[in-house]
Amino acid sequence: MVIDLKNMEEKAELLKVIAHPIRLCIVRGLWKNGGCNVTHMQCCLDVPQSTVSQHLGKLRQAGVIEGERNGLEITYKLKDERVKSILACLFGEEELENNQEEK
């Protein structure tokens, strides 16, 4: 069995970038809501805006998210389909349960 080390390194980097608790919370929120701005994220996370911006920069640099500017506001959304699949594995059952409780 031959292992494609470069492929494994790319996947490991993707996992590393979303492994931080704040970044995981950000991508989960974007996955659930379809997108949002920094102010909304800051309120949900209860961390300073500068902290949110630093984490968004890392996610953007890794190609996980993208931002769409509308005037002064930037709305972020998930860009990487692999991350959506990972989030579905991590939180899919939890989200289904929460949706059923809300009904």
Side-chain angles (χ1 to χ4, degrees), residues 8-90:
M8 292 297 160
E9 287 173 355
E10 288 174 7
K11 291 182 186 322
E13 286 303 315
L14 176 64
L15 292 172
K16 279 190 228 178
V17 79
I18 64 171
H20 188 282
I22 290 177
R23 289 192 293 271
L24 185 58
C25 191
I26 288 170
V27 295
R28 180 181 180 219
L30 294 175
W31 177 61
K32 283 176 61 175
N33 299 316
C36 64
N37 63 26
V38 174
T39 304
H40 180 79
M41 290 180 218
Q42 177 188 358
C43 292
C44 291
L45 295 168
D46 196 29
V47 296
Q49 182 267 332
S50 60
T51 301
V52 174
S53 293
Q54 286 176 349
H55 287 291
L56 287 171
K58 290 181 182 184
L59 291 166
R60 192 174 39 243
Q61 184 178 18
V64 172
I65 64 170
E66 61 186 353
E68 184 176 305
R69 182 174 290 279
N70 185 9
L72 296 176
E73 184 177 277
I74 300 174
T75 300
Y76 292 94
K77 63 180 182 177
L78 287 176
K79 178 180 174 183
D80 193 321
E81 293 296 321
R82 298 172 301 170
V83 173
K84 294 177 184 179
S85 296
I86 292 167
L87 293 168
C89 289
L90 291 174

